[in-house]
Amino acid sequence: MFKNKLTFVLICLVFIVSACGSSDETTTGKKRNIGGEAVKLTFTEPARLLSVAPLYVAIEQGFFEKEGIEAEIVSGGGGAQVIASVLSGEAQFAVSGPRSMFTPLDKGEDLLAIQSLNSALTYQITLSKQYQKKKNVSKDSSLEDRVASLNGATIGTNLVGDSGDVYTRHLMQMHGVDPKTLKTVKLAGDGSKIGGMQEGIVDGGIASPPMGLQAESKDIGDIVINTSEEPMYGNMVWEAVFAKKEYLEENHVTSLKVVRAIGQGMEFTRNNPREAAESIVSYFDGIDVDILEESLIGLKSTFKGYGEMNQEAWDNAQDPLVEFGKISGVSTKQDTTEDVIWTNSYIEEAFKK
């Protein structure tokens, strides 16, 4: 009888343990079913850029993870590599200047921009101390005088004929300065531009932050022109998130999640520049976190809303590229009416109240 009771107790214990184990597995299973396996997405960018900080912040602050997305960034190779990656399907999303879209659009590719990380052009023109003295100009001079100082300058840029080159020449033309007097030299990377100024190889450099602040911290040069000071460049699509229309249509929910994660990254970066800088300092080897923070504060006004766009901002991005088509390779004007090559619909749906 004792053996029977003992057997009964053991059987009960087995059922209890089994029930507990089954309950745990079911809970985990429900979580997997509700959230699903993480969707792996690849984002391609032309280079490591601080103007793209909201994307990096969205990854490091867990906004993508919260949306059930495992995000990977492939960086480097310029705009051509960005487009090749998206068109081949190696990357699902691109984050790059609008110029990257225009050439493939002209060739019939069906691309759509769904978000803009910046609402203004982020380029800064940094001039060496020696050149400022030679031209009798400083960051405190009038914008007219500062633009005029570019007459005859030799400026370092990532690639001769790149967007920095084109938008600088258009800025000169708008202010009555012959853009043909500007000479650009290929100096890829911030370090080479700063070194070029230090050695007198170039008079300055064109780049988005934090290059200018790095030059200032070394007392080599000063940020003399923020291109966003020019009203046209102050309302401009920059570092747009785009993909093939077919992919967006077939992966609508995932695309909404991407927009939501990056939008939250924009908001966080705008409101918490120090924490944002600390979370992405590993993306920028050798750059002090204080410089990153100061740069993000300077970019704050460009991280507007959740990345909404407007037609004028697209025209302001496109017109200089077409004007200098021989340099940019962009010769055909695209229809910039909403919902043709860009749309706010994903943002509106992702953040609807």
Side-chain angles (χ1 to χ4, degrees), residues 131-169:
Y131 189 74
Q132 290 179 64
K133 186 175 181 180
K134 175 184 174 181
K135 288 286 188 173
N136 191 29
V137 69
S138 73
K139 60 170 64 178
D140 298 320
S141 302
S142 68
L143 181 59
E144 292 291 331
D145 288 343
R146 285 178 282 147
V147 175
S149 74
L150 297 177
N151 187 3
T154 299
I155 302 293
T157 188
N158 288 335
L159 185 68
V160 174
D162 65 5
S163 294
D165 189 344
V166 171
Y167 289 126
T168 298
R169 292 181 190 276

Side-chain angles (χ1 to χ4, degrees), residues 54 116-117 262-270 303-307:
S116 179
L117 273 67
I262 294 176
Q264 289 172 336
M266 291 180 70
E267 186 173 50
F268 186 92
T269 305
R270 187 169 61 237
F303 302 136
K304 187 178 292 183
Y306 296 116

Side-chain angles (χ1 to χ4, degrees), residues 7-321:
T7 302
F8 178 75
V9 170
L10 288 173
I11 292 172
C12 288
L13 286 172
V14 169
F15 275 115
I16 291 170
V17 171
S18 298
C20 289
S22 298
S23 177
D24 287 343
E25 289 178 8
T26 302
T27 301
T28 305
K30 285 181 179 178
K31 287 182 180 178
R32 284 200 297 267
N33 290 335
I34 292 171
E37 292 295 330
V39 177
K40 294 183 179 181
L41 295 178
T42 299
F43 294 79
T44 178
E45 61 177 5
R48 189 46 42 88
L49 304 163
L50 194 61
S51 47
V52 181
L55 171 62
Y56 312 148
V57 170
I59 293 173
E60 297 305 317
Q61 292 296 324
F63 298 135
F64 276 109
E65 184 179 4
K66 183 180 176 182
E67 296 291 344
I69 293 173
E70 183 181 325
E72 177 188 14
I73 301 175
V74 175
S75 184
Q81 184 59 45
V82 164
I83 290 302
S85 296
V86 169
L87 295 182
S88 68
E90 291 179 10
Q92 290 73 47
F93 292 91
V95 182
S96 185
R99 177 182 179 178
S100 297
M101 287 183 62
F102 291 135
T103 300
L105 284 170
D106 190 32
K107 293 179 179 179
E109 299 293 348
D110 218 4
L111 301 171
L112 184 69
I114 58 175
Q115 197 168 28
S116 179
L117 273 67
N118 309 105
S119 60
L121 185 63
T122 61
Y123 283 131
Q124 296 174 326
I125 301 174
T126 302
L127 298 179
S128 69
K129 296 285 188 180
Q130 301 95 310
Y131 189 74
Q132 290 179 64
K133 186 175 181 180
K134 175 184 174 181
K135 288 286 188 173
N136 191 29
V137 69
S138 73
K139 60 170 64 178
D140 298 320
S141 302
S142 68
L143 181 59
E144 292 291 331
D145 288 343
R146 285 178 282 147
V147 175
S149 74
L150 297 177
N151 187 3
T154 299
I155 302 293
T157 188
N158 288 335
L159 185 68
V160 174
D162 65 5
S163 294
D165 189 344
V166 171
Y167 289 126
T168 298
R169 292 181 190 276
H170 191 263
L171 177 67
M172 293 171 68
Q173 183 171 277
M174 285 190 289
H175 288 264
V177 183
D178 186 356
K180 293 180 181 178
T181 64
L182 180 72
K183 180 182 178 182
T184 52
V185 176
K186 179 183 177 181
L187 290 174
D190 293 351
S192 61
K193 295 182 185 68
I194 294 171
M197 281 187 274
Q198 189 172 25
E199 297 299 322
I201 298 171
V202 292
D203 302 313
I206 306 164
S208 292
M211 192 275 282
L213 284 178
Q214 288 180 278
E216 290 186 352
S217 71
K218 299 176 186 295
D219 201 32
I220 292 171
D222 295 303
I223 301 167
V224 174
I225 299 173
N226 281 291
T227 55
S228 59
E229 294 178 74
E230 174 60 44
M232 176 181 180
Y233 292 161
N235 176 31
M236 183 172 155
V237 171
W238 193 238
E239 310 303 2
V241 180
F242 61 91
K244 292 193 291 187
K245 277 187 179 180
E246 181 182 10
Y247 176 85
L248 294 170
E249 290 168 358
E250 293 177 355
N251 300 273
H252 185 76
V253 173
T254 296
S255 301
L256 290 176
K257 290 179 177 181
V258 166
V259 165
R260 188 158 46 239
I262 294 176
Q264 289 172 336
M266 291 180 70
E267 186 173 50
F268 186 92
T269 305
R270 187 169 61 237
N271 298 332
N272 307 279
R274 180 66 186 189
E275 193 174 346
E278 290 174 342
S279 70
I280 64 172
V281 68
S282 63
Y283 287 62
F284 298 91
D285 291 338
I287 300 179
D288 187 83
V289 69
D290 291 335
I291 288 180
L292 287 180
E293 179 189 12
E294 190 175 347
S295 297
L296 289 177
I297 291 172
L299 288 167
K300 179 178 178 179
S301 62
T302 77
F303 302 136
K304 187 178 292 183
Y306 296 116
E308 295 86 347
M309 301 167 281
N310 59 72
Q311 185 172 357
E312 183 181 5
W314 273 95
D315 288 336
N316 291 342
Q318 177 176 231
D319 290 349
L321 297 173

